[in-house]
Amino acid sequence: MNGNGKKHAISLYVANKPGVLIRVSLVFARRGYNIDSLVVSGAHDPAYSQMNIEATGDEKTLDQILKQLNKLVDVVHARDNTGEDVIAREFALIKVNCPPEVRSEVLQVAHAFDAETVDLSEDTITLQISGESHKIDSIHTVFSKYGVIEMVRSGKIIIARGTRSTS
Amino acid sequence: MPTTLRSGAEVLVDVLHQEGVEYIFGIPGGAAIPIYDALVDSPIKLILNRHEQGATHMADGYARSTGRPGVVVVTSGPGATNTITGILTAQMDSVPLVVITGQASTNVLGLDAFQEADVSGVSFSIVKHSYLIKRAEDIPRIVREAFHLSRTGRPGVVLIDVPKDISSRMIEPNFSEAFHLPGYIIPKEGDLDRIEEAAGLLAHARRPVLIVGHGAVISGAEKAVTYLAEKLQIPVMNTLLGKGCFPETHELSLGMPGMHGTAYANKALAACDLVLSIGSRWDDRITGKVSDFCKNAVKIHIDIDPSEINKIIQVDCAIIGDARYVVEAISAIAERGDTGEWLKQVAKWKRDYPLKYKKEGKLKVQHVIDTMYKLTGGDAIVVTDVGQHQMWAAQFFPVVKRYRWLSSGGAGTMGYGMPAALGAQFAHPDELVIAFVGDGGFQMTQSELATAVIHKLPVKIVIANNHYLGMVRQWQAMFFDNRLSGVELEGNPNFVKLAEAYGCKGFRIKRPADVRRILQAALDYSEGPCIIDVEVEKEDDVYPMIPAGATLDEMMLEPPKINMQGK
Ligand SMILES: Cc1ncc(C[n+]2csc(CCOP(=O)(O)OP(=O)(O)O)c2C)c(N)n1
Ligand SMILES: [Mg+2]
């Protein structure tokens, strides 16, 4: 079911209650749709939460999933923002192999990507980066030359442009 | 201490009473004792069951025969997990149930406390919504929300998990706290543009059919559907659960289509140029092979649940709304199309391919059901279990009014029939309630016979005793070269003696010649429940039949001469 589809950026506005996350993720799981990333955070109004989910799959299944998400009593609304005019960002921490011989080179690359150094040890450097997901992908590619020890990504968060509110 | 303090359990029971609950079905246990204690002083009648599955089906029978939520109260752990089959059965068929489970105290939740089961976790995907109550003050709002959710929109099951410390806590209840359901929308009227589009499509159709399903029954769309069918002169078929929405005795009725539907309904479905589904969800038992289903017909779908639209069948026109309102709106503007030729054709199919069975030779289930229909004039609430007898009951017991046909469709739960019939009889003490059950399914919940006897419920329990898990045997015979595996019910009890052991009346029918007389005797018996053990032909098969996943044209009217293996 997966694999043959594209990535979708889904946003949900849900009641801030226990169990909501399980109900939401079960809708994906029942249709065999894999969740690539998921971010949950308190909304402006503390009675609600915002969820940003990235998932890969075909359109027809996604359409059914969105309807089933909207059917959940605790979901105020769920929508697919793919192809819409939204600002999407991701945040990541990346730990790169960085012995003294390559340190200045690594720092230069980091600078080019606007990465901020958050930790430095004898042989490693940890950087904080943010931007569109593909920027994070390319940072990973560039640093793999030196050896990426680990990278932790926040998952994509989305906000609508202009005066429109995000879902 | 102010005198207004009440325990969480008392408050819970107060709200149940305010919600109009007449009956509670269930079995107590440690975590539910506070609630059972509160029931002692309540006017709500408590029905003690013998198994929580039976309790849940009984509440389901109450709900399906009234349209009002059925209520179950059980204890934590095994008490709660025993309701799961009943919850699935009700949820799959959009039946309103409120299931209240006792739970271990909040301070030990998640620690494998005695009789703790994460019943919310177990049931998430088979309920409409669920609650775990963490503050006793929330009880009134949550219980009222639960009833609202269970009976409105597309009805379903709402589970409320009540930890023992919460039901024991003393609180000053606030019965007027507002609902908090921001994500819950109940569609009603339907989009006017789509309604006009549907009316236009109907007027242009030459060979239209209507399929009415459970949604139409739930919405109370009988009058609206009948008006539409008569005004536009369109034949009507009903799904298994749609029985009762449109009189099956009406000349425009084609009965049930699908796997074991009537030949004329299936022929009409295969030939139609427009199909309008009213509250039915294109179940695979009706569509057969989806890609070939009504290939050249315009498809219109009315449903209150947006997630049913384009789920199975891609439709040309979808109207999201309450069936009754939408059908009324369509019929107000729709003009009759030219359906004269079509009605002639359909009438011819009805004449040429009637449902039939042999009254001579070995005793047939169909004969018993048909005779019951004739003896009662159809004036009964009919409840079935699951299997061959269920399909024969659907075929040979026409239903003309809603709430008078109860059968597990979506889940196909064996063991549903008898307890559900008792639930219907509790709700309708003055009506005739007949349960048609199989020898297999009956034994799954037969312990509820005790409940029937204690309350002297005059239910007629007709056991189609073929000594087989008949429906499975039929599939093995047809599609697995008759290699019978796990279907012979050796060791069936003597059902008449079993009945007597419970203090229930037992009848037995063995010969076709006795059917009428003994059924009449059973109908005349009014002291309490009775079992009618019918020793039927062991190896009879249900026809017509469309094999699973086949097309409507592949319908078999009678046993094939060739071996069907590999189909
Ligand atoms: C709980 C449950 N288990 C298994 C099945 C699968 N099943 C469907 S019909 C059937 C046979 C039912 O036998 P019986 O109750 O004797 O009715 P008959 O078909 O003989 O009329 C079985 C086992 C089911 N539907 N439900
Ligand atoms: Mg049987």
Side-chain angles (χ1 to χ4, degrees):
Chain A
M1 202 165 292
N2 287 308
N4 59 345
K6 61 172 182 194
K7 267 201 178 192
H8 295 274
I10 300 153
S11 59
L12 297 101
Y13 194 67
V14 303
N16 180 10
K17 288 183 186 162
V20 176
L21 183 57
I22 299 191
R23 292 180 216 266
V24 166
S25 47
L26 270 175
V27 169
F28 288 86
R30 276 190 77 189
R31 292 296 296 158
Y33 225 77
N34 194 47
I35 293 179
D36 300 321
S37 81
L38 182 151
V39 184
V40 190
S41 54
H44 192 59
D45 177 344
Y48 298 91
S49 307
Q50 224 127 24
M51 286 191 193
N52 286 163
I53 295 177
E54 265 191 299
T56 315
D58 63 282
E59 297 291 333
K60 190 169 163 19
T61 310
L62 181 76
D63 179 58
Q64 180 58 214
I65 284 177
L66 284 174
K67 285 174 176 167
Q68 289 186 359
L69 289 173
N70 278 306
K71 186 169 154 177
L72 293 174
V73 172
D74 286 337
V75 171
V76 182
H77 37 232
R79 78 148 72 106
D80 181 14
N81 294 281
T82 315
E84 303 227 343
D85 193 14
V86 291
I87 302 159
R89 289 291 182 272
E90 221 185 322
F91 175 89
L93 295 169
I94 181 166
K95 189 180 293 172
V96 182
N97 206 2
C98 187
E101 317 81 86
V102 297
R103 185 159 297 165
S104 62
E105 203 180 320
V106 167
L107 282 168
Q108 251 176 17
V109 179
H111 184 70
F113 280 113
D114 265 340
E116 190 184 318
T117 307
V118 289
D119 186 36
L120 199 61
S121 75
E122 224 156 276
D123 288 319
T124 65
I125 184 167
T126 303
L127 302 161
Q128 161 186 326
I129 48 183
S130 64
E132 290 183 31
S133 298
H134 63 82
K135 174 180 165 189
I136 306 211
D137 294 341
S138 40
I139 290 175
H140 185 271
T141 315
V142 171
F143 279 123
S144 39
K145 178 178 157 195
Y146 309 100
V148 173
I149 298 162
E150 58 179 326
M151 175 154 93
V152 181
R153 302 172 71 141
S154 67
K156 194 184 271 185
I157 55 171
I158 300 165
I159 198 162
R161 266 184 212 284
T163 47
R164 190 169 69 84
S165 67
T166 313
S167 176
Chain B
M1 215 165 73
T3 48
T4 47
L5 276 188
R6 289 176 73 66
S7 75
E10 287 169 328
V11 173
L12 171 78
V13 171
D14 287 347
V15 186
L16 296 179
H17 183 54
Q18 289 162 16
E19 288 292 331
V21 175
E22 284 181 282
Y23 287 101
I24 284 177
F25 303 94
I27 300 179
I33 290 180
I35 307 174
Y36 274 73
D37 182 66
L39 283 171
V40 172
D41 300 320
S42 165
I44 300 175
K45 284 167 260 180
L46 171 66
I47 306 302
L48 171 61
N49 294 100
R50 292 298 179 269
H51 187 294
E52 291 85 350
Q53 182 186 348
T56 321
H57 292 329
M58 219 170 273
D60 175 315
Y62 177 91
R64 286 192 211 223
S65 66
T66 60
R68 298 198 295 271
V71 182
V72 176
V73 179
V74 298
T75 192
S76 62
T81 55
N82 269 351
T83 64
I84 293 296
T85 302
I87 290 176
L88 173 78
T89 307
Q91 177 67 11
M92 285 286 264
D93 290 346
S94 312
V95 175
L97 282 193
V98 175
V99 177
I100 299 167
T101 52
Q103 179 58 281
S105 288
T106 47
N107 61 330
V108 294
L109 277 184
L111 304 181
D112 296 331
F114 177 64
Q115 290 197 330
E116 182 194 357
D118 174 15
V119 62
S120 308
V122 170
S123 63
F124 274 129
S125 55
I126 53 169
V127 296
K128 180 168 175 181
H129 197 54
S130 50
Y131 295 90
L132 167 62
I133 306 191
K134 293 287 231 357
R135 287 175 60 230
E137 290 73 16
D138 292 339
I139 290 174
R141 175 184 53 80
I142 286 179
V143 175
R144 287 172 49 239
E145 277 181 15
F147 275 83
H148 175 70
L149 289 170
S150 88
R151 72 177 150 230
T152 57
R154 180 176 182 171
V157 180
V158 181
L159 182 137
I160 312 177
D161 205 16
V162 191
K164 192 174 182 179
D165 56 327
I166 301 295
S167 54
S168 309
R169 187 161 302 155
M170 300 304 287
I171 56 163
E172 207 166 330
N174 169 7
F175 291 104
S176 50
E177 192 189 337
F179 288 176
H180 182 65
L181 297 169
Y184 186 62
I185 309 153
I186 308 168
K188 193 170 159 190
E189 252 92 25
D191 185 282
L192 201 57
D193 290 344
R194 296 283 82 74
I195 287 171
E196 280 171 5
E197 185 187 346
L201 290 167
L202 282 164
H204 284 98
R206 293 289 166 274
R207 301 185 306 281
V209 296
L210 307 184
I211 300 185
V212 292
H214 203 204
V217 172
I218 292 166
S219 137
E222 315 94 282
K223 283 208 183 94
V225 167
T226 306
Y227 180 72
L228 179 69
E230 287 176 350
K231 178 179 175 189
L232 272 64
Q233 288 296 302
I234 302 178
V236 183
M237 40 190 95
N238 49 260
T239 66
L240 180 70
L241 298 192
K243 275 172 84 81
C245 180
F246 183 76
E248 289 184 292
T249 48
H250 195 290
E251 61 167 350
L252 286 171
S253 173
L254 299 179
M256 179 176 81
M259 183 175 275
H260 290 300
T262 63
Y264 36 93
N266 285 329
K267 283 182 184 292
L269 209 44
C272 70
D273 67 353
L274 180 148
V275 48
L276 166 58
S277 160
I278 306 171
S280 135
R281 57 185 177 86
W282 317 103
D283 184 82
D284 56 71
R285 302 281 112 154
I286 286 181
T287 59
K289 191 174 173 195
V290 168
S291 56
D292 283 355
F293 176 74
C294 293
K295 235 182 181 161
N296 303 313
V298 171
K299 299 174 194 83
I300 311 175
H301 190 179
I302 301 170
D303 209 298
I304 199 162
D305 178 355
S307 76
E308 290 299 345
I309 306 294
N310 295 336
K311 184 182 87 173
I312 305 290
I313 298 286
Q314 207 67 29
V315 295
D316 302 284
C317 172
I319 309 167
I320 294 162
D322 186 316
R324 194 181 110 205
Y325 290 92
V326 175
V327 174
E328 277 170 1
I330 293 176
S331 40
I333 53 172
E335 299 288 336
R336 185 182 166 178
D338 183 5
T339 61
E341 281 302 310
W342 175 235
L343 290 182
K344 273 187 216 152
Q345 172 65 68
V346 168
K348 182 169 173 351
W349 282 328
K350 268 179 101 164
R351 278 195 309 277
D352 292 350
Y353 303 98
L355 288 166
K356 52 180 192 235
Y357 65 90
K358 285 205 184 72
K359 284 190 183 152
E360 314 79 44
K362 291 180 183 160
L363 177 54
K364 302 228 175 222
V365 182
Q366 302 92 302
H367 186 177
V368 176
I369 294 168
D370 185 33
T371 308
M372 199 55 134
Y373 175 71
K374 289 180 176 136
L375 288 176
T376 60
D379 189 8
I381 297 174
V382 176
V383 189
T384 79
D385 210 83
V386 168
Q388 291 183 310
H389 65 278
Q390 176 189 32
M391 293 299 112
W392 281 318
Q395 292 177 344
F396 290 96
F397 209 106
V399 178
V400 298
K401 276 200 273 185
R402 77 163 171 169
Y403 295 158
R404 303 191 125 224
W405 168 263
L406 284 54
S407 192
S408 167
T413 303
M414 286 171 71
Y416 171 79
M418 193 263 284
L422 304 190
Q425 186 80 78
F426 275 119
H428 305 276
D430 300 326
E431 296 212 39
L432 173 63
V433 178
I434 305 169
F436 291 112
V437 301
D439 49 333
F442 173 71
Q443 293 184 71
M444 290 195 179
T445 49
Q446 72 178 26
S447 55
E448 294 309 327
L449 216 42
T451 315
V453 170
I454 291 166
H455 298 279
K456 293 200 168 52
L457 300 176
V459 176
K460 317 295 169 199
I461 304 160
V462 181
I463 303 180
N465 190 355
N466 54 10
H467 298 266
Y468 271 120
L469 296 170
M471 186 56 97
V472 180
R473 185 204 53 73
Q474 174 171 352
W475 282 50
Q476 291 177 348
M478 292 176 74
F479 310 121
F480 291 85
D481 212 11
N482 206 27
R483 286 157 54 87
L484 299 191
S485 175
V487 290
E488 189 155 8
L489 293 175
E490 326 161 65
N492 266 353
N494 176 330
F495 288 113
V496 171
K497 282 194 179 160
L498 179 84
E500 285 162 0
Y502 275 99
C504 169
K505 177 83 181 156
F507 295 92
R508 178 169 289 125
I509 308 179
K510 283 179 140 171
R511 300 180 308 147
D514 296 335
V515 171
R516 220 185 155 79
R517 180 177 54 79
I518 298 176
L519 284 185
Q520 188 59 57
L523 287 169
D524 292 340
Y525 177 78
S526 58
E527 323 277 282
C530 66
I531 275 182
I532 304 125
D533 175 28
V534 191
E535 289 281 346
V536 291
E537 175 176 357
K538 287 182 70 177
E539 293 175 354
D540 195 9
D541 291 334
V542 185
Y543 285 100
M545 174 163 192
I546 301 170
T551 63
L552 295 171
D553 310 322
E554 294 171 73
M555 176 173 57
M556 295 179 285
L557 292 172
E558 49 193 36
K561 310 282 180 285
I562 47 147
N563 170 5
M564 294 291 300
Q565 199 189 10
K567 245 291 150 135

